[in-house]
Amino acid sequence: MVICRLPRLKKSVKIAIGVMATLAFSSVIILIPNLLQESPNLLNPKPTPPTPAATITPGPAATQSPAATPTPVPTELSETEQTEAYIFQFINKERADRDLPILGTDANLSVISKEWSEYLASINDLTHGDFASRMESIGYSSYSCGEIIAYTSGGTPSEVARKFVDMWLESPPHREIMLTSSNGYMGVGVSKSVSAFYSVVDFRFG
């Protein structure tokens, strides 16, 4: 394991490679060549998160998907909405191929992941911000939650989605969050800046 500190950051941030447990409550950048556009975050439910910066009205209850069989993505959806749908399908396909539980859709996670992807696109940068507060704002502070983010260049919606999922698969910390063995739910957000697509996937396990 490699752990170091970045003195230029306002808050002390630990950077770790190879051990998932060290990612708890950290905004983490994985220093791996060609993967600097990715960043994972894993939230352990035990500590009390800070006060949320915003309140999000809870959506419908989460629903568990019965299977990972890909379904056609409606072409009338926007470019980013199609990309979100493909990412959701590709992640569940990777999980199904490994005999892992299929993750269901969750309206609350979908809202906050979309909003955070819009923010990342607006600043043209990657950051998890106050991830704990976002989870608390939707009532998920008692669950194990994780977040993976990335940006990439253009292509068709399915091509862009595949780029995101392949990048996360190739980075051990991202892969471990995405392929957590527990049952759970996810929300996918994708937004576009002038030069890139930004994606956020938020997970709730247990």
Side-chain angles (χ1 to χ4, degrees):
M1 185 204 325
V2 178
I3 298 179
C4 61
R5 291 182 181 275
L6 294 183
R8 63 184 178 85
L9 298 182
K10 292 182 179 180
K11 294 184 179 180
S12 177
V13 178
K14 290 186 177 180
I15 295 177
I17 299 176
V19 180
M20 191 64 174
T22 63
L23 301 182
F25 292 100
S26 297
S27 292
V28 182
I29 300 171
I30 302 304
L31 301 178
I32 301 175
N34 301 322
L35 291 178
L36 291 178
Q37 63 223 71
E38 311 171 35
S39 184
N41 197 326
L42 182 67
L43 175 63
N44 187 301
K46 293 182 180 178
T48 301
T51 302
T55 300
I56 300 175
T57 303
T63 56
Q64 192 78 33
S65 299
T69 303
T71 57
V73 173
T75 55
E76 62 267 22
L77 295 177
S78 70
E79 183 180 30
T80 55
E81 289 172 335
Q82 290 182 55
T83 306
E84 290 166 357
Y86 279 118
I87 290 173
F88 188 94
Q89 290 192 18
F90 291 161
I91 289 177
N92 267 334
K93 179 64 165 57
E94 295 295 337
R95 292 178 62 86
D97 288 347
R98 295 163 176 80
D99 295 322
L100 297 173
I102 300 307
L103 300 180
T105 58
D106 183 282
N108 293 322
L109 293 176
S110 296
V111 169
I112 62 170
S113 62
K114 184 65 174 183
E115 290 182 346
W116 198 247
S117 73
E118 291 171 348
Y119 173 72
L120 297 182
S122 73
I123 65 172
N124 280 308
D125 201 2
L126 292 178
T127 175
H128 290 288
D130 195 344
F131 176 65
S133 285
R134 296 200 297 279
M135 292 299 102
E136 186 182 36
S137 72
I138 58 174
Y140 289 176
S141 57
S142 62
Y143 293 98
S144 292
C145 297
E147 178 175 84
I148 53 178
I149 62 179
Y151 72 85
T152 191
S153 56
T156 67
S158 62
E159 290 170 345
V160 172
R162 192 68 251 177
K163 287 181 188 178
F164 279 128
V165 173
D166 286 345
M167 281 194 296
W168 290 323
L169 284 171
E170 291 169 5
S171 173
H174 303 78
R175 178 188 178 96
E176 191 158 357
I177 293 175
M178 190 166 61
L179 300 181
T180 296
S181 60
S182 303
N183 289 299
Y185 305 90
M186 65 174 157
V188 182
V190 174
S191 295
K192 188 178 181 182
S193 71
V194 174
S195 58
F197 288 86
Y198 286 79
S199 181
V200 176
V201 186
D202 288 325
F203 299 90
R204 191 202 91 184
F205 297 109

